[in-house]
Amino acid sequence: MHSPDTAALSAVPLFELERVHFDIGARRLLDDISLSIPRECVTGLIGHNGSGKTTLMAMLARHRDPHRGAIRFDGKPIASWKPREFARRVAHLPQYTPSTDGMLVRELVALGRYPWHGSLGAFGERDRERVAAAMEMTDVAQFADRQVDSLSGGERQRVWLAMLIAQDSHCLLLDEPTSALDIAHQIEVLELVRTLCTQRGIAAVIVLHDINMAARFCDRIVALREGKILMHGTPSELLTEANLEAIYGLPMHVLRDPVNGRFVSVPQ
């Protein structure tokens, strides 16, 4: 049985956004966004290029501040969290990862432990255990002493995910983690994220372009268009022909897979 404090906390959304706006010059990138992102849930962000997905992700990661409105994380204003405390709870993988020139796989994965010991702190046994476990879970331990840049695209993406896993966070923010991967590696990466969230009871927010991948791996989907939330709900709620035409601006067929019963969409 949960204690009253634990039960109360579990009822609070992980992220809450209230009437959030963000502008660059005269262009409004986010327009009156109100949204709750639940705990222990995989949430997909979909929509056209320029719909506001990456800007919204940057807000959740605290890389940008809203011009108007409020964002709360774990029930507290997101800006009130100390940087290291926030980094212990939220791990962010941007759309374009930084250079890893000359870095070994084990060195990159070990960076995930930085919020726990800092630049001058000792890298202890617990840190080594977390790094080893993360590499095993993502099947990159075999590459531990290879340079990251020598790996294939799918292998590199698993290394970045290993770094996030080593961080021991409560939430993963993943901006288009499958954009440069073939379909086999897309499924591999998203299955890994889904498994991680289920096993550890954590949340993930994922920017995706493929609605069928979002429907397959996400518990909830948020569709944006021109900086606004067009609709949100479960995959079965969103995957209708009318909804998909509203999201993507072209007619779509929705079919049921005869093998697994999932809904899939194809352009007409």
Side-chain angles (χ1 to χ4, degrees):
M1 180 179 295
H2 292 298
S3 69
D5 289 345
T6 303
L9 182 61
S10 65
V12 175
L14 191 63
F15 286 98
E16 292 178 279
L17 296 87
E18 290 185 3
R19 310 205 67 178
V20 168
H21 295 74
F22 184 81
D23 303 326
I24 291 183
R27 185 182 175 199
R28 176 148 293 174
L29 300 185
L30 293 178
D31 189 0
D32 201 26
I33 298 289
S34 293
L35 178 67
S36 292
I37 296 176
R39 302 166 184 274
E40 301 183 19
C41 179
V42 179
T43 300
L45 303 181
I46 65 169
H48 283 295
N49 289 336
S51 62
K53 304 183 301 295
T54 292
T55 302
L56 177 55
M57 187 70 81
M59 296 259 178
L60 299 180
R62 295 210 318 182
H63 296 325
R64 287 183 169 175
D65 298 323
H67 291 151
R68 295 208 313 272
I71 303 177
R72 288 184 293 276
F73 173 74
D74 253 353
K76 294 167 50 179
I78 196 169
S80 71
W81 286 88
K82 294 180 179 179
R84 186 176 293 181
E85 288 298 313
F86 187 76
R88 289 177 177 179
R89 289 165 171 78
V90 177
H92 177 224
L93 185 64
Q95 182 178 354
Y96 302 106
T97 53
S99 172
T100 57
D101 189 30
M103 185 175 287
L104 301 181
V105 166
R106 68 167 73 252
E107 293 172 336
L108 178 58
V109 178
L111 290 180
R113 299 303 300 165
Y114 178 82
W116 297 95
H117 61 75
S119 58
L120 300 178
F123 193 87
E125 185 61 28
R126 180 181 177 86
D127 298 308
R128 283 187 283 273
E129 290 174 356
R130 291 293 188 269
V131 168
M135 289 194 294
E136 287 293 336
M137 184 173 191
T138 54
D139 195 27
V140 298
Q142 59 190 308
F143 307 131
D145 294 312
R146 285 182 57 180
Q147 292 190 4
V148 177
D149 290 346
S150 72
L151 304 178
S152 70
E155 292 164 347
R156 284 198 303 273
Q157 201 69 335
R158 295 209 314 270
V159 173
W160 282 104
L161 285 172
M163 186 194 75
L164 268 59
I165 292 168
Q167 194 170 327
D168 272 344
S169 67
H170 299 176
C171 178
L172 305 178
L173 303 178
L174 309 173
D175 193 350
E176 296 193 33
T178 60
S179 61
L181 304 180
D182 60 44
I183 189 166
H185 285 113
Q186 289 179 36
I187 292 173
E188 181 181 86
V189 165
L190 293 175
E191 282 183 340
L192 175 59
V193 173
R194 177 80 257 180
T195 298
L196 175 68
C197 291
T198 300
Q199 290 182 351
R200 294 195 174 184
I202 65 175
V205 183
I206 313 176
V207 172
L208 292 167
H209 278 293
D210 189 327
I211 181 62
N212 292 320
M213 289 294 187
R216 177 171 177 172
F217 292 104
C218 298
D219 301 302
R220 299 190 64 77
I221 298 174
V222 179
L224 291 97
R225 187 162 190 176
E226 297 179 349
K228 296 176 179 285
I229 292 179
L230 189 62
M231 61 188 73
H232 59 90
T234 65
S236 60
E237 289 170 341
L238 261 68
L239 258 73
T240 70
E241 293 180 353
N243 285 345
L244 293 177
E245 183 168 359
I247 294 168
Y248 292 108
L250 76 163
M252 304 279 282
H253 286 301
V254 175
L255 312 171
R256 187 182 288 273
D257 188 314
V259 176
N260 56 38
R262 296 191 193 102
F263 289 110
V264 294
S265 64
V266 293
Q268 289 187 16

